[in-house]
Amino acid sequence: MRDVAVIGIGCTPFGEKWGSSFRDLFVEAGTLALDDANLSGEDIDAMYVGNMSAGRFIEQEHIGALIADYSGLSTRHIPSTRVEAACASGGLSFRQAVIAVASGMEDIVVAAGVEKMTDVGTGASVDALAGAADREWEGFVGATFPGLYAMIATDYMSRYPLTREQLAQVAVKNHYNGARNPIAQFQQEITIDTVLKSSLVADPLRLFDCSPITDGAAAVIVAPFDRAREFTDTPVRVLASEQASDTITLHDRRDISTLDASVTAGQRAFKTARITPKEIDLVEVHDCFTIAEICAIEDLGFCKKGEAGMLTMEGVTALNGDLPVNTSGGLKACGHPVGATGIKQVYEIVTQLRGDAKGRQIDGAKIGMTHNVGGTGATVAVHIFGV
Amino acid sequence: MSVARFWRKIPQRYNLIGTVCKTCGRHFFPPRSFCPDCRRSGNVVEYKFKGTGTVVTHTIIRTASDQFEDLTPYALAIVQLDEGPRITAQIVCTPEDVKIGMRVKGTFRRIAADGASGVIYYGTKYVPDE
Ligand SMILES: [Zn+2]
């Protein structure tokens, strides 16, 4: 297997983009990534695109060919493949690109992610997102996606000393980071009171515990590490690319409050990269809800079960803490265009490892990690990057 | 959900029909025809669940998809059936009264109405049993 490097990155601003279509979004992200790597479309050997539900959101399938076409590559007939794993679609798209290059099958590969969510109403998007869980045995009885994570929170808070304020602090910290990220959907800081006074969505989760509905796209370009310096002075090496699965329903899990797929993918990634959690300088975790960030920090092995809330309140996961978590603002503040999120996480870590993150830069960051979850934990992708 | 897709699962949804492996005694709901523990030495047969269980975790849904919006706020829980399997279900009572460890039993109720087709879906919800 060949070593793989990220040689180019691009990301649209995230938000409710009334003026931009699905096609506009991915063309913008792809163009930014190509420019960043000093490449033209002629140089691309293959594309992967993460997308959860264009069929539901814009009534369009066949996304792989559509993207290649609108990227101006139809006459080159490159292989272009859609990858779907609900909210982990982006992470899996990136992993497919890494595998293609590592195997020697392809050299220059685009991994993209895109979701256009605001062309349908709230009820329709809530229903589309519920498809990330089990439609027959969760969705059919009235389970919403926030409702499932709320049941994780209820279980967690009954077993570990997590306070409502500690949970709120996850959102406060991520909004602080988002306010320092020019592509973030939410650019304003909030307080614990903002969270506690927002409306209940699914008890105990409130509106400000939930990631928003977002339009956006991101793209990154990977290449063999040996060739990376042909394209960039700042290649970022992929140290590990791992993925794990678990039961589709939350109720069938071994432990409601532990995402075993996160535990497994994390352990595999640390083993592949031959490092320990202590050596990670920063991590982008999948905070679709505040409770999800708490679980992720623990499941990835950064602390014991039950400790993440306290560490969050103490500032350990803040920009100036020992383990900055979600410097981009995370899904909560940067936004969560479902299929694009996993690629945006890579975009953020590469930006940080290059030293280009300006007002949210982690000084001297050498090793970063991404953690992307599909559904309530039925799919998890974990990547480790180094410079 | 289409009418055919719903009707296909009526025995399970209405009557809690699952399966049990007679080799190892493990119960399955929704039903499985292959025991993952015993594999080829398993002997899986139909089993009607008693419909009683215990609340493992719960929430109150206040924002729902269009099909369920008229029911909000409603209590949703993961229930561990006495035979072992866990399911997700609505609990019919004052939502704030649902607690972890609460005993519940299954009851036949309207689950949702599809405004467009006029079809009303029924299934098993749970009520307090203590
Ligand atoms: Zn058996």
Side-chain angles (χ1 to χ4, degrees):
Chain A
M1 298 284 265
R2 302 192 289 184
D3 271 5
V4 177
V6 179
I7 59 167
I9 57 172
C11 193
T12 69
F14 282 4
E16 296 185 13
K17 320 276 284 180
W18 305 107
S20 300
S21 71
F22 183 89
R23 298 167 199 215
D24 297 335
L25 290 169
F26 69 68
V27 168
E28 182 183 346
T31 304
L32 288 167
L34 284 172
D35 288 350
D36 184 54
N38 298 305
L39 288 170
S40 75
E42 294 295 304
D43 304 307
I44 302 300
D45 296 321
M47 296 179 73
Y48 291 92
V49 55
N51 175 259
M52 173 180 172
S53 205
R56 297 293 300 277
F57 290 124
I58 61 162
E59 296 174 17
Q60 178 70 59
E61 311 290 8
H62 212 166
I63 301 305
L66 177 74
I67 290 207
D69 182 5
Y70 274 74
S71 302
L73 301 177
S74 60
T75 56
R76 292 202 48 242
H77 309 295
I78 63 163
S80 182
T81 307
R82 174 183 177 173
V83 180
E84 191 277 315
C87 332
S89 300
L92 267 58
S93 157
F94 181 73
R95 187 161 186 272
Q96 291 305 309
V98 170
I99 290 169
V101 173
S103 71
M105 287 281 283
E106 314 284 0
D107 266 8
I108 311 295
V109 179
V110 175
V114 56
E115 209 79 51
K116 172 72 193 173
M117 301 174 71
T118 60
D119 281 352
V120 296
T122 305
S125 58
V126 167
D127 191 56
L129 293 171
D134 186 333
R135 179 68 66 181
E136 301 257 1
W137 301 107
E138 292 181 316
F140 177 77
V141 299
T144 60
F145 207 56
L148 293 168
Y149 272 92
M151 291 201 290
I152 295 177
T154 301
D155 177 68
Y156 187 106
M157 294 172 94
S158 76
R159 295 162 59 194
Y160 306 106
L162 175 70
T163 66
R164 197 33 275 213
E165 287 72 18
Q166 289 169 346
L167 205 49
Q169 182 61 28
V170 172
V172 172
K173 182 261 299 171
N174 288 348
H175 272 257
Y176 180 91
N177 296 351
R180 284 149 185 79
N181 183 359
I183 67 158
Q185 182 167 4
F186 298 121
Q187 301 273 342
Q188 64 280 65
E189 295 178 25
I190 59 167
T191 65
I192 285 180
D193 232 32
T194 316
V195 183
L196 299 186
K197 286 188 173 146
S198 64
S199 57
L200 279 162
V201 173
D203 307 28
L205 300 181
R206 293 174 179 274
L207 186 63
F208 273 82
D209 288 300
C210 307
S211 54
I213 287 171
T214 309
D215 302 325
V220 300
I221 300 169
V222 294
F225 189 82
D226 291 346
R227 288 190 57 196
R229 288 196 187 269
E230 293 173 30
F231 312 102
T232 178
D233 296 332
T234 53
V236 170
R237 192 189 296 257
V238 180
L239 300 176
S241 174
E242 299 292 345
Q243 179 183 332
S245 57
D246 201 346
T247 63
I248 187 80
T249 59
L250 178 64
H251 58 240
D252 280 331
R253 302 279 161 74
R254 179 190 63 81
D255 179 343
I256 303 281
S257 290
T258 303
L259 280 66
D260 281 347
S262 290
V263 175
T264 305
Q267 287 172 349
R268 287 176 185 160
F270 285 119
K271 190 173 174 212
T272 302
R274 295 197 196 88
I275 61 169
T276 65
K278 281 192 180 10
E279 292 167 77
I280 298 285
D281 294 316
L282 76 162
V283 57
E284 289 283 298
V285 305
H286 196 91
D287 61 318
C288 48
F289 301 93
T290 48
I291 185 65
E293 177 166 322
I294 296 291
C295 291
I297 292 167
E298 297 165 348
D299 296 343
L300 292 171
F302 293 110
C303 65
K304 288 205 201 80
K305 207 74 202 164
E307 293 180 350
M310 187 185 65
L311 296 178
T312 301
M313 205 51 127
E314 288 172 353
V316 173
T317 59
L319 279 186
N320 60 357
D322 287 343
L323 178 73
V325 175
N326 284 331
T327 57
S328 70
L331 284 59
K332 175 69 198 78
C334 191
H336 183 27
V338 182
T341 283
I343 303 292
K344 182 226 71 183
Q345 294 178 324
V346 177
Y347 173 91
E348 174 68 11
I349 293 297
V350 170
T351 302
Q352 288 278 359
L353 297 184
R354 287 174 172 182
D356 291 340
K358 300 199 173 70
R360 62 184 195 287
Q361 180 64 42
I362 306 304
D363 289 336
K366 295 274 182 259
I367 300 182
M369 185 180 210
T370 60
H371 164 260
N372 190 198
V373 177
T376 53
T379 299
V380 173
V382 171
H383 288 89
I384 301 177
F385 302 86
V387 289
Chain B
M1 184 174 288
S2 75
V3 173
R5 185 172 174 189
F6 178 80
W7 276 59
R8 203 177 297 139
K9 291 285 194 304
I10 274 188
Q12 294 96 311
R13 294 196 199 285
Y14 283 18
N15 300 321
L16 277 173
I17 303 291
T19 53
V20 61
C21 172
K22 290 172 82 173
T23 306
C24 69
R26 185 168 163 192
H27 292 73
F28 303 103
F29 191 90
R32 287 176 188 244
S33 52
F34 185 77
C35 176
D37 295 336
C38 305
R39 298 181 181 274
R40 286 166 69 177
S41 58
N43 176 15
V44 177
V45 299
E46 201 172 90
Y47 174 82
K48 181 170 167 40
F49 280 78
K50 286 183 287 181
T52 49
T54 306
V55 171
V56 174
T57 184
H58 59 94
T59 183
I60 302 173
I61 305 287
R62 296 177 191 271
T63 302
S65 63
D66 295 339
Q67 275 196 332
F68 293 94
E69 195 55 48
D70 65 329
L71 290 175
T72 58
Y74 57 90
L76 188 81
I78 290 177
V79 173
Q80 177 143 21
L81 298 172
D82 289 340
E83 293 90 342
R86 289 179 172 185
I87 51 155
T88 298
Q90 288 182 41
I91 310 294
V92 185
C93 66
T94 306
E96 285 77 7
D97 290 347
V98 179
K99 297 283 181 285
I100 292 172
M102 189 169 109
R103 293 288 299 163
V104 293
K105 63 181 178 195
T107 175
F108 185 68
R109 293 290 173 102
R110 182 181 78 112
I111 297 281
D114 185 337
S117 68
V119 174
I120 295 175
Y121 298 114
Y122 292 88
T124 306
K125 293 187 184 182
Y126 288 76
V127 293
D129 181 25
E130 45 198 15

